[in-house]
């Protein structure tokens, strides 16, 4: 079977299913595992070169709608009549379901079930610990600075927060991703700020940008220097790799409760 993945999280799902050997091409941003680095590249998420995809003669394209604008990739796949499936999870449960969906599609049902079970074992372990923590932290997640975008209730980062003994300060918004004003962040006064700008490496994120915003010095997180620059690839991609991010975040917030990641 010949597979092309046009989203990093889809590539990571294939890795968890021990199916990297089926890949014949990936998007420009797929960077894990290391073994995919020499595969042909077909463009970035919003600018996939469908002609390049077609030239690779895939039996299946793993597409995504996780970023607004990806719809045009689907339209082009339809025009070229290429076989594809769309993975567009928001929650940890939907990511687990995608494991089973892809596993069935590529003949890896047994491996998918094993990964699925292991995935929920970690979730259940961390949920048990989270339930024992009396003083939860409030987190403001920033995944784009201008305009400000942050995850809402349906986003996996709200679930990750809960499993790490915390809550997302914007989880009262039902949507998975929302645009907010800086004044709203100040009003909610989070204990912790986690910066994970989508598609931006940690070394290019500067907390001083946030600190210079009007009223930032009023925030508890700023006053106590609880601004965390986290790895985008561990928090912004809907794959089982999010659990690596969970382990890191949980220990960061509550080191006396959680094991070191």
């Amino acid at each position: 079977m010949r597979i092309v993945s046009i989203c990093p999280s889809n590539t990571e799902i294939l890795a968890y299913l021990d199916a990297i050997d089926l890949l014949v091409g990936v998007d420009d941003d797929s960077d894990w595992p290391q073994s995919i680095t020499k595969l042909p590249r077909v463009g970035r998420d919003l600018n996939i070169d469908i002609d390049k995809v077609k030239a690779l003669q895939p039996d299946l394209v793993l597409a995504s709608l996780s970023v607004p604008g990806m719809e045009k990739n689907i339209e082009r796949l339809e025009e070229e009549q290429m076989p594809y499936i769309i993975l567009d999870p928001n929650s940890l449960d939907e990511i687990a379901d995608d494991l089973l969906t892809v596993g069935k599609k590529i003949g890896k049902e047994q491996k998918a079930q094993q990964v699925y079970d292991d995935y929920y074992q970690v979730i259940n372990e961390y949920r048990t610990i989270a339930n024992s923590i009396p003083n939860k932290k409030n987190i403001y997640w920033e995944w784009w600075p201008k305009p400000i975008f942050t995850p809402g209730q349906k986003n996996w980062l709200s679930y990750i927060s809960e499993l790490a003994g915390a809550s997302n300060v914007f989880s009262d918004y039902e949507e998975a991703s929302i645009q907010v004003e800086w004044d709203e962040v100040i009003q909610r006064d989070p204990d912790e700020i986690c910066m994970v700008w989508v598609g931006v490496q940690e070394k290019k994120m500067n907390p001083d940008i946030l600190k210079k915003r009007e009223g930032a010095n009023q925030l508890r997180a700023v006053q106590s220097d609880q601004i965390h620059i986290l790895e985008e690839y561990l928090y912004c991609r809907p794959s089982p790799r999010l659990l690596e991010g969970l382990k890191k975040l949980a220990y960061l917030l509550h080191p006396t409760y959680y094991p070191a990641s």
Side-chain angles (χ1 to χ4, degrees):
M1 193 173 194
R2 298 172 61 84
I3 300 176
V4 174
S5 168
I6 57 175
C7 181
S9 54
N10 294 350
T11 305
E12 293 173 7
I13 283 177
L14 287 174
Y16 278 92
L17 297 178
D18 289 344
I20 289 298
D21 59 312
L22 302 180
L23 274 172
V24 295
V26 294
D27 64 284
D28 289 4
D29 294 309
S30 285
D31 55 11
W32 186 89
Q34 186 68 23
S35 57
I36 60 104
T37 56
K38 293 184 180 180
L39 287 173
R41 301 284 170 160
V42 297
R44 298 200 71 186
D45 50 12
L46 299 181
N47 293 288
I48 297 296
D49 188 330
I50 298 300
D51 291 332
K52 285 185 177 180
V53 175
K54 187 175 183 179
L56 294 170
Q57 300 180 313
D59 300 304
L60 179 67
V61 177
L62 292 186
S64 174
L65 289 173
S66 61
V67 177
M70 284 181 163
E71 296 84 1
K72 66 180 182 180
N73 296 331
I74 309 302
E75 292 170 2
R76 288 284 287 118
L77 290 171
E78 286 280 358
E79 288 173 8
E80 298 296 336
Q81 298 183 325
M82 279 186 280
Y84 69 89
I85 59 173
I86 299 171
L87 304 183
D88 186 23
N90 285 312
S91 71
L92 295 180
D93 289 336
E94 290 173 348
I95 292 168
D97 290 341
D98 282 350
L99 284 167
L100 299 181
T101 297
V102 176
K104 183 176 182 180
K105 194 74 176 179
I106 67 174
K108 291 266 190 178
E109 293 97 331
Q110 186 174 350
K111 179 63 178 179
Q113 188 63 55
Q114 176 197 326
V115 177
Y116 180 95
D117 292 342
D118 292 344
Y119 178 87
Y120 272 111
Q121 182 177 344
V122 173
I123 288 175
N124 292 334
E125 288 174 357
Y126 274 71
R127 181 180 290 117
T128 298
I129 298 173
N131 289 339
S132 72
I133 297 174
N135 299 312
K136 305 292 197 293
K137 302 287 184 72
N138 290 318
I139 301 176
Y140 162 59
W141 292 92
E142 181 167 289
W143 63 4
W144 198 250
K146 193 175 181 180
I148 294 173
F149 275 89
T150 188
Q153 178 187 350
K154 290 183 177 180
N155 188 274
W156 58 80
L157 287 180
S158 288
Y159 296 85
I160 291 288
S161 299
E162 292 172 7
L163 294 172
S167 63
N168 171 12
V169 295
F170 284 101
S171 61
D172 56 321
Y173 281 79
E174 186 177 355
E175 298 91 337
S177 178
I178 54 174
Q179 182 178 340
V180 299
E181 298 299 325
W182 179 242
D183 285 346
E184 293 181 76
V185 179
I186 292 176
Q187 290 167 12
R188 292 170 190 243
D189 195 13
D191 302 307
E192 316 277 338
I193 295 174
C194 293
M195 296 172 64
V196 283
W197 295 351
V198 178
V200 178
Q201 295 178 353
E202 312 89 83
K203 62 184 179 182
K204 295 183 179 180
M205 288 188 285
N206 187 348
D208 288 341
I209 293 174
L210 188 147
K211 291 178 181 179
K212 289 177 181 177
R213 294 175 188 162
E214 185 176 356
N217 58 359
Q218 302 173 28
L219 296 174
R220 281 177 293 177
V222 173
Q223 293 173 359
S224 59
D225 199 28
Q226 295 303 303
I227 303 176
H228 313 291
I229 296 178
L230 301 178
E231 298 90 337
E232 183 267 354
Y233 58 83
L234 291 183
Y235 298 94
C236 295
R237 299 178 182 180
S239 86
R241 210 173 175 201
L242 285 171
L243 298 190
E244 291 183 40
L246 164 62
K247 293 175 182 179
K248 178 172 182 174
L249 177 68
Y251 184 71
L252 177 68
L253 298 180
H254 299 287
T256 58
Y257 286 91
Y258 292 98
S261 59

